[in-house]
Amino acid sequence: MPVTTTATPPAAASRSGLAWLTVTELKLFIRERVGPIWGVGFPLLLLIIFGSIHSFREPQKDFGGATTLEIYVPVLIAFSIALLSLSALPMVLAGYREKGILRRLQTTPMGPVRLLTAQLAVNFAVIAVTVIVILVVARVAYGVALPKQLAGFVIAALLTAAALLAVGLFVAATAGSGRAAQAIGTILFFPMMFFAGLWVPIAKMPKLLRYISHGTPLGAAVQALQRATEGHWPHAQQLLVMAAYAVVLGLAAAKLFRWE
């Protein structure tokens, strides 16, 4: 009797391969511990430290009656996304290129494009979990209210992740090695976090610094997240700034990315 076989459709095989690669990259992300410790654990530690300071839980006139802790929760969310996007992602991708992994993948059916997709999927998933954990811990442990404009908060968080991951991809595309990518990401991280209000809240910055903050991805992100937390829809300018970074740097990273 003739034996018939059913071939797996290419689209289904592609989805299966991408799912397997995404799970593998997630396992590697957890095993390396750098991302979970710094991108997830460190912001939570800062939240616990800030929440333990009594003055941070008292309403402040300068913040319209909000507590300092309530102002800092969106900053810590942006801080976490920035750590994952500017440190973990560029270091991993540039390290893959340096070790020849991307070159070898380019000759397989899996392909390096799927690797990038898997990396972005892992980072988006970790970012989503981290944001939820920070919000829940702040609410349960310190009584910080959840975002009152939930839809606006979700959109602002997604655009924050898209903008910063685009910056991270651009760094990975142009850096020659994993160490170089980590160094460039660190150099970008600290001024971005300054304009995001980590050391001095944006509302207390001089006017010139506030204007500069409005044009940075993290400055726009924190202000959009804070407005959504207070119950207002984020300003269109804040969303457009983040979208512009995501599109421009994302396209630049795709154009300049080297597989070898």
Side-chain angles (χ1 to χ4, degrees), residues 171-187:
V171 172
T174 55
S177 66
R179 287 186 177 181
Q182 187 178 26
I184 295 171
T186 302
I187 291 171

Side-chain angles (χ1 to χ4, degrees), residues 81 84 122-133 158:
I81 297 174
L84 291 168
V122 168
N123 278 275
F124 265 111
V126 173
I127 286 171
V129 171
T130 304
V131 170
I132 292 171
V133 169
L158 288 174

Side-chain angles (χ1 to χ4, degrees), residues 11-170:
S14 176
R15 288 193 297 269
S16 176
L18 179 58
W20 175 84
L21 185 58
T22 302
V23 172
T24 301
E25 288 298 318
L26 179 59
K27 291 179 179 178
L28 290 173
F29 177 87
I30 296 172
R31 188 181 303 168
E32 287 295 328
R33 299 182 183 179
V34 175
I37 291 174
W38 288 103
V40 182
F42 190 48
L44 279 175
L45 177 62
L46 288 178
L47 174 61
I48 294 170
I49 292 173
F50 291 159
S52 301
I53 301 174
H54 180 70
S55 61
F56 273 45
R57 302 195 305 272
E58 294 181 345
Q60 302 291 327
K61 291 182 180 180
D62 293 342
F63 300 143
T67 66
T68 304
L69 184 60
E70 289 171 340
I71 296 298
Y72 266 107
V73 167
V75 176
L76 291 176
I77 288 174
F79 178 83
S80 174
I81 297 174
L83 276 176
L84 291 168
S85 303
L86 300 179
S87 295
L89 177 64
M91 184 175 63
V92 169
L93 290 178
Y96 282 170
R97 184 195 301 118
E98 186 179 12
K99 297 172 183 175
I101 294 174
L102 292 181
R103 183 178 66 251
R104 292 195 293 272
L105 278 174
Q106 203 168 17
T107 63
T108 68
M110 189 63 64
V113 174
R114 289 195 182 94
L115 176 64
L116 287 179
T117 304
Q119 274 289 324
L120 289 175
V122 168
N123 278 275
F124 265 111
V126 173
I127 286 171
V129 171
T130 304
V131 170
I132 292 171
V133 169
I134 289 175
L135 290 175
V136 169
V137 171
R139 173 59 181 166
V140 173
Y142 306 109
V144 176
L146 295 174
K148 298 176 183 177
Q149 174 51 263
L150 186 58
F153 187 90
V154 171
I155 291 174
L158 288 174
L159 283 175
T160 301
L164 291 175
L165 287 172
V167 176
L169 284 177
F170 183 78

Side-chain angles (χ1 to χ4, degrees), residues 148-157 159 220 223-240 242:
K148 298 176 183 177
Q149 174 51 263
L150 186 58
F153 187 90
V154 171
I155 291 174
L159 283 175
Q223 293 171 85
L225 292 171
Q226 285 178 340
R227 280 188 58 83
T229 298
E230 295 166 0
H232 309 292
W233 191 263
H235 283 307
Q237 177 187 349
Q238 297 160 356
L239 301 179
L240 287 173
M242 292 187 286

Side-chain angles (χ1 to χ4, degrees), residues 192-211:
M192 280 191 181
M193 283 312 308
F194 172 80
F195 286 112
L198 180 62
W199 291 279
V200 180
I202 296 175
K204 290 188 175 182
M205 288 182 180
K207 183 179 291 186
L208 176 60
L209 294 183
R210 286 203 304 271
Y211 282 136

